[in-house]
Amino acid sequence: MTATYRRQPYRRQQGSHVFTFSSLAELMAKATPERSGDALAGVCAESAAERVVAQMTLADLPLKTFLNDVVIPYESDEITRLIIDSHDKQAFSLIEHLTVGDFRNWLLSEQADSETLAQIRSGLTPEMVAAVSKIMRNQDLILVAKKCQVVTAFRNTIGLPGRLSTRMQPNHPTDSLNGIAASIFDGLMYGNGDAVIGINPATDNVPQAIKLMQLMDEVIQQYQIPTQSCVLTHVTNTIEAIELGAPVDLVFQSIGGTQGTNDTFGINLSILEEAQQAALSLNRGTVGNNVMYFETGQGTALSANAFHGVDQQTCEARAYAVARQFDPLLVNTVVGFIGPEYLFDGKQIIRAGLEDHFCGKLLGLPMGCDICYTNHAYADQNDMDNLLTLLGVAECSFIMGIPGSDDIMLNYQTTSFHDALYARKVLGLRPAPEFEQWLLETQIFNDVDKVRLNDQLASPFSKVIKQVS
């Protein structure tokens, strides 16, 4: 199956003025809520009026359009080929008669329950979910994402209803093993680390990556912690580490939504397939075999000058097609990390985080979010508190846990060990079940916590949690 890049104009008359959008990519870009990255790329709407007209035009577009008119040519981009060639017609049949606007209304309806959303996910393309997100309010994105249940597993189970996991990030500016170990134990004392203990190495080479893998494996094995570890090094380094006998749990890679973006990362679909098979061959999981960990972020394609005139949020959603191909344990949108050139302030960061979480969950991914900002962005920790709370309501799979919310190696602001405790307490969320049991057995969680958890289990909603888990 092939789709064409038609440069077909899309027109809409509003009053006496006719608005013309020269291609699907332009229509999508002009319909996107305001953000600095699209302005930098020169693809954004020129006025609020043009944005509204573009959204109205997009709402009237049949979903079938996205199978026949692509934003990046099929012939020149392997991500487009992946999206089109892997499309599930049978799963799509339930909604194929809908327009983008109808799809929004259906997603918000009682008909679109968790089971039905799971049935259609392989029939959705990234462009379809990006399009519908552009005409949704923040509350719409939260409501629908909460209905999407995506469960993955390795040494524990991620994404069950009523759960919120954390990626512990014990980075150190010199990769000091003592410093990293101190941060790991600090995080564990706060109940963090059930999604993964993941280190960004300051020195990125294979020998150093193996040292860090061995450190984390020693801690996990000695204390019998039901969690997984990951060194966020290049995928080819991890493949080499596996060949050298290193204790690799998860394979990490940053990915983008265009072939050109992934070229700048030094990866392609074939390399990712090789890495997945290498990790699976180790058979280190105990309750599941999801072995991949991907990170993404709006603006990646623009920073690589590989966006092809496509807005940054649509490029981001296309990266989820790459992730979906490899059944990951975790997918993390590092939402505010690139800087204000792409997401200018707290409002834009919050909107992008909700969009990414919605699009990823709707496509069937275990979405987490690094709720973060750089020090030169027009944002502060109150904005991050807001996004943290909103994503907690939307049942985000995991967030970051970092000492003091300040990553001293990567030099950006994110969420702390304490922030995870806040979100779990105020929203009644709990860690992954296997990790939670370990916290109780080791008395990191005490009898008071146990009583609180049992009280939650007695609630009507928690009966559903108990059945699932």
Side-chain angles (χ1 to χ4, degrees):
M1 178 179 180
T2 60
T4 56
Y5 182 68
R6 297 186 294 179
R7 278 285 176 187
Q8 172 183 323
Y10 295 85
R11 295 187 177 90
R12 186 182 189 93
Q13 183 165 347
Q14 198 68 21
S16 61
H17 185 73
V18 176
F19 290 83
T20 300
F21 308 97
S22 64
S23 66
L24 181 59
E26 182 179 353
L27 175 62
M28 295 272 282
K30 302 261 179 159
T32 305
E34 183 179 6
R35 62 207 56 197
S36 53
D38 290 338
L40 180 65
V43 300
C44 66
E46 295 180 7
S47 65
E50 186 181 32
R51 180 174 296 109
V52 170
V53 171
Q55 289 172 339
M56 294 168 66
T57 306
L58 188 61
D60 289 340
L61 213 61
L63 289 178
K64 290 180 180 178
T65 304
F66 297 95
L67 301 175
N68 301 311
D69 190 3
V70 295
V71 296
I72 300 175
Y74 179 95
E75 297 77 14
S76 60
D77 188 276
E78 71 169 355
I79 312 307
T80 301
R81 293 194 292 274
L82 173 66
I83 291 167
I84 297 299
D85 295 348
S86 64
H87 181 254
D88 186 336
K89 292 181 180 179
Q90 184 174 351
F92 183 58
S93 63
L94 180 65
I95 56 169
E96 64 180 345
H97 60 288
L98 300 177
T99 64
V100 173
D102 293 333
F103 185 40
R104 172 194 175 272
N105 295 337
W106 180 82
L107 287 171
L108 294 170
S109 74
E110 295 300 320
Q111 290 178 281
D113 57 19
S114 297
E115 182 179 346
T116 305
L117 291 174
Q119 290 172 356
I120 69 165
R121 61 179 52 151
S122 60
L124 298 174
T125 70
E127 289 84 356
M128 291 177 193
V129 301
V132 75
S133 75
K134 296 176 191 298
I135 61 168
M136 297 176 86
R137 294 169 57 185
N138 286 3
Q139 69 172 238
D140 299 340
L141 300 175
I142 293 168
L143 189 153
V144 177
K146 184 178 176 67
K147 293 196 287 185
C148 297
Q149 301 297 334
V150 182
V151 179
T152 56
F154 189 76
R155 289 200 190 96
N156 58 35
T157 309
I158 307 295
L160 291 169
R163 307 277 177 171
L164 175 66
S165 296
T166 62
R167 172 196 157 188
M168 191 196 303
Q169 186 167 300
N171 294 344
H172 194 277
T174 63
D175 281 343
S176 163
L177 297 185
N178 287 337
I180 289 170
S183 290
I184 290 175
F185 285 109
D186 187 23
L188 291 171
M189 293 304 104
Y190 285 98
N192 278 239
D194 49 337
V196 64
I197 302 174
I199 301 172
N200 299 86
T203 304
D204 193 5
N205 57 53
V206 174
Q208 185 65 19
I210 291 176
K211 287 181 183 178
L212 298 175
M213 292 170 187
Q214 290 171 337
L215 168 66
M216 290 185 288
D217 186 61
E218 181 180 347
V219 172
I220 289 171
Q221 298 303 326
Q222 180 171 343
Y223 296 97
Q224 295 296 294
I225 308 170
T227 190
Q228 38 282 328
S229 67
C230 184
V231 173
L232 281 69
T233 187
H234 193 270
V235 63
T236 55
N237 287 345
T238 306
I239 292 172
E240 186 176 342
I242 291 173
E243 293 170 347
L244 293 171
V248 173
D249 288 343
L250 305 185
V251 176
F252 166 80
Q253 184 54 49
S254 294
I255 56 173
T258 72
Q259 182 174 332
T261 305
N262 289 328
D263 285 345
T264 66
F265 288 143
I267 63 165
N268 54 42
L269 298 177
S270 177
I271 291 173
L272 294 177
E273 171 69 18
E274 179 186 354
Q276 182 190 33
Q277 293 306 313
L280 287 171
S281 72
L282 299 179
N283 197 30
R284 290 174 58 84
T286 56
V287 297
N289 61 356
N290 299 109
V291 297
M292 304 299 284
Y293 173 25
F294 296 114
E295 287 194 345
T296 65
Q298 288 194 30
T300 305
L302 175 57
S303 65
N305 195 28
F307 64 103
H308 302 277
V310 179
D311 67 272
Q312 65 184 36
Q313 190 254 334
T314 301
C315 284
E316 170 73 4
R318 283 170 55 93
Y320 303 155
V322 178
R324 184 167 64 172
Q325 180 70 8
F326 300 103
D327 301 317
L329 179 74
L330 308 166
V331 179
N332 181 31
T333 169
V334 192
V335 68
F337 183 74
I338 304 182
E341 299 85 358
Y342 304 92
L343 295 169
F344 182 71
D345 56 15
K347 182 177 181 179
Q348 292 188 11
I349 292 171
I350 289 169
R351 173 70 191 189
L354 296 176
E355 288 171 347
D356 294 351
H357 180 249
F358 162 85
C359 289
K361 289 282 286 292
L362 193 55
L363 288 168
L365 291 175
M367 286 302 295
C369 185
D370 191 342
I371 301 163
C372 63
Y373 64 101
T374 58
N375 288 315
H376 63 309
Y378 287 81
D380 58 28
Q381 210 64 42
N382 286 328
D383 295 312
M384 301 305 104
D385 287 349
N386 292 343
L387 180 53
L388 169 63
T389 306
L390 294 173
L391 286 172
V393 172
E395 295 206 346
C396 183
S397 292
F398 69 101
I399 61 170
M400 298 293 105
I402 293 177
S405 76
D406 183 8
D407 191 302
I408 58 175
M409 195 276 281
L410 292 175
N411 196 29
Y412 76 116
Q413 309 301 313
T414 180
T415 46
S416 71
F417 301 148
H418 305 74
D419 292 332
L421 291 181
Y422 150 76
R424 285 171 175 166
K425 185 172 183 178
V426 76
L427 298 172
L429 302 172
R430 301 158 56 194
E434 300 87 350
F435 190 80
E436 176 183 274
Q437 185 60 36
W438 177 82
L439 291 170
L440 291 168
E441 290 173 353
T442 56
Q443 297 185 334
I444 293 172
F445 278 14
N446 60 27
D447 290 338
V448 174
D449 296 307
K450 191 170 184 177
V451 169
R452 177 176 56 82
L453 294 173
N454 288 336
D455 287 344
Q456 290 174 357
L457 284 173
S459 72
F461 177 68
S462 60
K463 291 178 182 178
V464 177
I465 299 174
K466 193 171 183 180
Q467 289 172 2
V468 174
S469 59

